[in-house]
Amino acid sequence: DAGVIQSPRHEVTEMGQEVTLRCKPISGHDYLFWYRQTMMRGLELLIYFNNNVPIDDSGMPEDRFSAKMPNASFSTLKIQPSEPRDSAVYFCASSWASSGANVLTFGAGSRLTVL
Amino acid sequence: AQSVAQPEDQVNVAEGNPLTVKCTYSVSGNPYLFWYVQYPNRGLQFLLKYITGDNLVKGSYGFEAEFNKSQTSFHLKKPSALVSDSALYFCAVRDLISSGSARQLTFGSGTQLTVLP
């Protein structure tokens, strides 16, 4: 397996533009997580899904952020409109329930810069 | 509520010396505890976990961690550090008695380990 695949790896955009980040989890994993990492706030959980269903989105900063998981092999995190304070590295991670609790496999991350 | 603290932002150690990266936790019940490592421009990688049983847990790359319930600690250790161990290390905790959306990991703020040649 190629691991968790995220795209794009780097995104530079201007304030107000829509940003879509994509994630392909490991096949067979039934949990998918979106995290955001910044120097100031560290690693923050934004939202997670179980069997494609959003379970907890309390970490989503505001209505500008949305996430979907239309099927077991694909998820998106969308920011519309983007703002400079959204600049961060966004990680997708996946796991499966029988993995012995929360052994996450992370993608390489998407580095977002909003100018 | 669950929380985890990594009291040191930075740890420096000479190559060949033993290393320790500290972690303390707070949970309502019994904890699941984890260590992850992040190399530059990469995602976090799982190192080891404690769920139950032996308090000394062995993981990848020669790392081990000791669960101490009385001190609510789960320090990461390695007997002999390598330059290639230099990375950002995260401790994480999950409360076993939590259910539903609370069954998520809480990560510490991370400790930057630098192994000097």
Side-chain angles (χ1 to χ4, degrees):
Chain A
D1 199 317
V4 176
I5 307 297
Q6 291 187 245
S7 65
R9 289 295 311 277
H10 302 275
E11 175 90 7
V12 180
T13 190
E14 294 187 344
M15 183 173 62
Q17 296 299 305
E18 178 179 293
V19 173
T20 299
L21 308 178
R22 298 172 178 81
C23 175
K24 175 178 168 56
I26 290 176
S27 178
H29 281 192
D30 51 2
Y31 282 85
L32 184 140
F33 304 79
W34 282 101
Y35 284 89
R36 178 172 68 176
Q37 186 179 39
T38 61
M39 289 292 292
M40 291 296 294
R41 301 172 71 94
L43 198 63
E44 303 173 276
L45 177 66
L46 300 178
I47 185 172
Y48 77 95
F49 297 82
N50 180 214
N51 292 322
N52 313 337
V53 176
I55 302 300
D56 183 359
D57 65 354
S58 60
M60 297 286 261
E62 46 198 275
D63 292 346
R64 298 185 296 106
F65 285 69
S66 63
K68 294 181 180 180
M69 192 167 185
N71 57 63
S73 59
F74 184 66
S75 178
T76 60
L77 178 67
K78 186 174 293 186
I79 309 172
Q80 167 63 20
S82 59
E83 297 183 1
R85 59 186 168 136
D86 301 330
S87 297
V89 181
Y90 291 82
F91 289 103
C92 176
S94 68
S95 71
W96 74 99
S98 60
S99 69
N102 303 99
V103 177
L104 305 180
T105 301
F106 282 77
S110 295
R111 182 176 296 275
L112 173 64
T113 302
V114 183
L115 303 175
Chain B
Q2 58 194 35
S3 65
V4 61
Q6 293 181 243
E8 300 160 317
D9 292 335
Q10 175 84 37
V11 170
N12 295 328
V13 63
E15 187 174 30
N17 283 2
L19 69 86
T20 299
V21 182
K22 295 179 181 177
C23 171
T24 58
Y25 66 89
S26 175
V27 296
S28 301
N30 292 317
Y32 282 171
L33 293 157
F34 303 80
W35 277 100
Y36 283 80
V37 60
Q38 185 180 27
Y39 297 100
N41 301 313
R42 303 285 296 276
L44 279 69
Q45 297 177 29
F46 169 75
L47 268 182
L48 52 80
K49 66 181 179 183
Y50 170 83
I51 297 176
T52 187
D54 194 346
N55 290 345
L56 185 63
V57 179
K58 294 187 182 297
S60 307
Y61 312 122
F63 283 93
E64 58 189 27
E66 186 168 10
F67 171 63
N68 188 316
K69 188 171 184 177
S70 63
Q71 297 186 3
T72 62
S73 67
F74 190 57
H75 301 330
L76 182 70
K77 300 182 180 183
K78 187 173 183 181
S80 179
L82 301 172
V83 172
S84 57
D85 293 330
S86 298
L88 187 58
Y89 290 81
F90 290 92
C91 183
V93 67
R94 175 192 144 189
D95 190 338
L96 263 67
I97 70 171
S98 298
S99 61
S101 63
R103 295 178 64 187
Q104 57 182 261
L105 286 180
T106 298
F107 283 89
S109 55
T111 298
Q112 180 66 48
L113 173 68
T114 301
V115 180
L116 305 169

